[in-house]
Every structure is written in structure tokens, then in C-alpha cells.
Amino acid sequence: FPYTTLFRSHEATLTNLLEVCLFHRTTCEEAQDALVDLVDYCIRKLRYLLHTPNEELVHQVSAKECAEWDSVMALNQQFNECEFQICMCVISILRFLTDHRVALPLAVTTRLLDTHDVLQLLVPLMEKAPWVRTNRVTGRIEKFEEHKWQVVEADDEGRLPKLHSQVWLTIYNLIMDQECRSRYELTSFRKENLLRLRRYINEVVVDQIPPLTNLHRTLEELSISGRFTGADSGDRKSVV
């Protein structure tokens, strides 16, 4: 078990390194087909975030409770914290992959949209928002920023957490990309999943992420026409 925790710590370091490197388009271009495996890895982490209750992702403990822990419990807490940090880095990695999608192999797009249907994961993830919590001791709201939990001051309560913005931008990149829209088959279930986003796009959010105005317009058109404007509406998709 100690070795597992140590390896998880190394994994967190490597994931953070990938997050930094993949910010640059040249890195994504050089990675080529290796990114297919990276997408699979990211999806596994997103699924972990979704199926694990927020209060179990990182346990909130007081100093008194920590003092009563044995070594196994302490290592288990460290393991959970490393896993959570990895998952937070993965969110940024996915955003950068979608930023540079046009420069990546087609297999990456296929993996995101067809194999894993990442939009079916991102929308509920944004609703779940594991990067925000209420401190059970102080009762104050905390956001996970810069790889640690930080107390939200009253003046910043309306400011979106960086990770929340990353999810929004990833969704925006996939929906507003013409090639992605053309190949994404809109079943009724997928359409309802995307339309859930409309309730979260308001003036406060748009002021911080202006491109979401276009996303909101696209979603409204989707709710009326039942398809993306400009997307291919061939016979196969009509049957679906």
C-alpha cells in the first residue's frame, strides 16, 4: 500500500507535467497517436469523478481526527488527495486537446466523440462541480485552485473557478467546431444532455467567458430545429 501511494504521487507529478506541456500546440502535434491512449486515461479519471460522491473524493478532517489516525488511514487519505489532483489536471488536459484538435490525428477526435462520447461526461461533471465544497468546520465555501483548497472571499463568490471554466471551454470547443458537429450523431438522449447547459449560461457566466454567447445561441437553435445549424443531416443521421 505505501508503494501504491508513492506511485500515485509520481503519477500526479507526471499528469501536472502533461498539463503544462500540452498547453502548447507543438507538443500536441509531436505526441500524435500517443494522445489516443491519453484520451482513454482522461476518460477513466472523469468517470471516477462522476461515480464517486464529492464528499468521498477528498475527506475533510480536523487536526484532532488526523492525530488519531494510524499510518494506513493517513496513507489512504494521501492516496485520495493525489487521485483528486490527478483528476483536476485531466480536466485541463482535455481542454488543451480540444483547443488543438485540428492539429491532432483523426483518431483522437473519434475517440472523444464516438468511442467515449465525452460530452455525455462533461455536462454532468459541470453540474456535479467537485472542485467546490463547503468546509464542514467553518461552513465557508472553498474552491480548488492552484492545486489546493482556497477559501472563497465574499467579493469572489460570483467568480467561476478555473476548472469550471475549463469544462465550459472544452464543451465550447467540441460543440462549436464544425467538424465535430458534423460527425456527432444527435440522438434524443444526446440532445437532452446538451440542452441542460442552457440553464447555466447567464449574464454572470457570459461576462467571464464571452464565447459562451455563441454556444447559447447554438443550443437555442438546437432546441428548435433538433439539429446543429450547418451540420450534415444525411439519411443515416435522420434514421438515428
Side-chain angles (χ1 to χ4, degrees), residues 4 22 47 106 117 121 137 180 191:
T4 303
L22 293 175
R47 288 172 178 164
L106 180 60
D117 195 357
L121 300 176
V137 177
C180 292
K191 185 176 75 171

Side-chain angles (χ1 to χ4, degrees), residues 23-234:
F23 173 80
H24 303 282
R25 178 169 178 152
T26 52
T27 306
C28 294
E29 292 175 342
E30 291 298 324
Q32 291 297 313
D33 291 339
L35 294 177
V36 174
D37 292 328
L38 180 60
V39 168
D40 292 342
Y41 172 80
C42 292
I43 295 299
R44 289 198 299 271
K45 297 304 179 183
L46 290 189
R47 288 172 178 164
Y48 166 77
L49 279 177
L50 284 173
H51 85 255
T52 306
N54 286 354
E55 61 272 11
E56 295 180 13
L57 289 171
V58 179
H59 296 284
Q60 297 188 52
V61 293
S62 62
K64 181 180 179 180
E65 290 172 327
C66 288
E68 296 173 352
W69 281 358
D70 57 22
S71 57
V72 174
M73 295 179 67
L75 285 172
N76 186 58
Q77 175 69 3
Q78 185 179 357
F79 181 91
N80 290 336
E81 290 177 353
C82 286
E83 184 71 13
F84 183 77
Q85 290 195 22
I86 291 169
C87 292
M88 297 299 102
C89 289
V90 158
I91 293 173
S92 296
I93 288 174
L94 279 174
R95 181 266 169 105
F96 299 144
L97 290 180
T98 58
D99 276 350
H100 309 306
R101 190 203 62 79
V102 293
L104 306 183
L106 180 60
V108 174
T109 302
T110 302
R111 211 72 173 174
L112 286 170
L113 294 177
D114 300 336
T115 305
H116 298 300
D117 195 357
V118 69
L119 287 170
Q120 293 287 348
L121 300 176
L122 291 174
V123 175
L125 178 65
M126 188 179 63
E127 295 172 336
K128 191 172 185 282
W131 44 81
V132 180
R133 72 181 186 185
T134 301
N135 190 296
R136 68 183 182 91
V137 177
T138 64
R140 302 189 65 179
I141 297 176
E142 297 177 340
K143 297 179 182 179
F144 193 79
E145 302 274 19
E146 306 298 334
H147 303 286
K148 63 182 179 180
W149 290 102
Q150 301 181 16
V151 176
V152 178
E153 302 297 336
D155 295 340
D156 291 334
E157 288 185 359
R159 182 173 59 86
L160 291 176
K162 291 180 181 179
L163 288 163
H164 198 102
S165 300
Q166 297 284 50
V167 175
W168 267 123
L169 291 172
T170 306
I171 294 172
Y172 175 87
N173 288 339
L174 292 172
I175 293 180
M176 302 306 295
D177 186 299
Q178 186 60 45
E179 183 178 345
C180 292
R181 288 162 61 165
S182 298
R183 67 178 298 118
Y184 192 66
E185 297 181 6
L186 271 177
T187 63
S188 59
F189 183 78
R190 285 177 169 178
K191 185 176 75 171
E192 291 301 320
N193 177 65
L194 295 178
L195 292 180
R196 287 154 56 186
L197 293 169
R198 291 183 298 172
R199 73 186 75 170
Y200 301 105
I201 303 179
N202 51 50
E203 291 184 2
V204 175
V205 174
V206 171
D207 285 343
Q208 297 176 66
I209 315 178
L212 292 187
T213 302
N214 296 329
L215 176 61
H216 187 258
R217 184 182 302 113
T218 297
L219 293 174
E220 292 296 343
E221 293 173 353
L222 174 62
S223 68
I224 296 172
S225 65
R227 64 185 180 88
F228 289 129
T229 303
D232 180 22
S233 56

